[in-house]
Amino acid sequence: MDVQALEAYVNAGLTSFDMADIYGPAEEIYGSFYKQLLATKGHEAVKGIQGLTKWIPQPGPMTRKVVESAIDLSLQRMQVSHLDCLQFHWWDYSDKRYLDALGHLSDLQTEGKINELSLTNFDMEHVVEITNKGIQISSIQLQYSVVDRRPMVKMTEVCEALGIKLLTYGTLGGGFISEKYLGAKEPKNEDELYTSSLKMYKKAIDTWGGWDLFQELLQVLSSVAKSHNCTIANVATKYILDMPAVAGIIIGCRMGIPGAEHIQENVKSFDVHLTTEDTEMIESVLKKSSDLMQLIGDCGDEYRLK
């Protein structure tokens, strides 16, 4: 079912898929889809899709053998000759072996096993450190939304100077930034916050400014959406897509669940053209929120081992 579901996205023009070595069978599903597409439609068809995966190792020795074995495993699972994009995450900045790992990944890139070498959830300071070592980074995946705008503070300027693009997740706040929660009672219990994603993004909303301010934001987003004949999700997506250095938005999909794909709705985001007035309306609410840089830290700090 998942393999067939991916084809619907490709047919709609959504041809890049994000995954990780620790995301259950994600790499295997992509590999099965890649193999099927190659068999049925040929090499030209597979040239049109991209598989972006992550390597998220536990702290430990980062020898050439360790690094290459991890990359070879992803290659095997995804059934490809090279990785279109490898996004590297590291849990503990005090353990400098991430530089060893990135050095080996850079070598593997030179040797053709990796096309684009990228990062996920690194902060500005460590992006600069890594690039100063001569390691070429194509993109950084990080959280970026109307609620969490930390990338604007430091990361955007650095990335523009270094030619690094941003790939953003959490742009719809795990589904909170949608009509479903407009005018809704604040969810607080386990039955309402039934996934780790919902718990994480609800905590972010609480830190950002709370449920009442979030409702005010949804009301403004809804007003803008109605003026463009689109959805709150379209407006929230396009707001981030229009930001400097942003190359793409990563939106989670629930494959194979009827009505949960939102394929055509997501594609419609590209047709939304926010005006200066739209942006000013949105930011009139955002300026009332708390400073997440002070409360959480720079991009990705919430994932660092303390």
Side-chain angles (χ1 to χ4, degrees), residues 245-259:
V246 173
I249 304 294
I250 299 168
I251 297 178
C253 58
R254 302 182 67 187
M255 297 186 298
I257 300 177

Side-chain angles (χ1 to χ4, degrees), residues 86-213:
L86 187 282
Q87 302 165 106
F88 176 72
H89 175 82
W90 190 254
W91 295 106
D92 183 2
Y93 289 142
S94 68
D95 183 349
K96 290 292 185 177
R97 287 176 291 188
Y98 61 85
L99 294 173
D100 297 333
L102 282 163
H104 295 309
L105 289 171
S106 183
D107 290 340
L108 291 169
Q109 180 183 32
T110 301
E111 294 165 20
K113 286 194 174 185
I114 298 169
N115 188 10
E116 303 291 344
L117 179 56
S118 301
L119 302 172
T120 181
N121 288 317
F122 273 75
D123 64 15
M124 182 275 294
E125 177 185 344
H126 291 87
V127 170
V128 171
E129 176 193 33
I130 289 163
T131 56
N132 282 345
K133 296 290 184 181
I135 297 170
Q136 298 296 312
I137 299 298
S138 295
S139 63
I140 305 171
Q141 185 176 148
L142 41 71
Q143 188 172 168
Y144 201 173
S145 71
V146 287
V147 169
D148 187 348
R149 300 193 299 162
R150 286 177 295 161
M152 290 182 178
V153 181
K154 295 180 179 180
M155 189 66 78
T156 295
E157 182 178 358
V158 168
C159 285
E160 288 199 293
L162 295 173
I164 297 172
K165 297 299 183 181
L166 300 180
L167 302 178
T168 78
Y169 68 88
T171 304
L172 301 182
F176 276 115
I177 304 174
S178 68
E179 281 78 7
K180 179 179 178 179
Y181 289 94
L182 175 63
K185 180 182 176 182
E186 180 177 3
K188 294 181 179 180
N189 59 48
E190 287 286 330
D191 291 339
E192 296 167 312
L193 303 171
Y194 50 86
T195 67
S196 58
S197 176
L198 287 173
K199 290 182 178 71
M200 178 178 74
Y201 290 114
K202 176 56 165 59
K203 183 178 180 181
I205 290 168
D206 293 342
T207 305
W208 170 80
W211 196 250
D212 289 343
L213 184 60

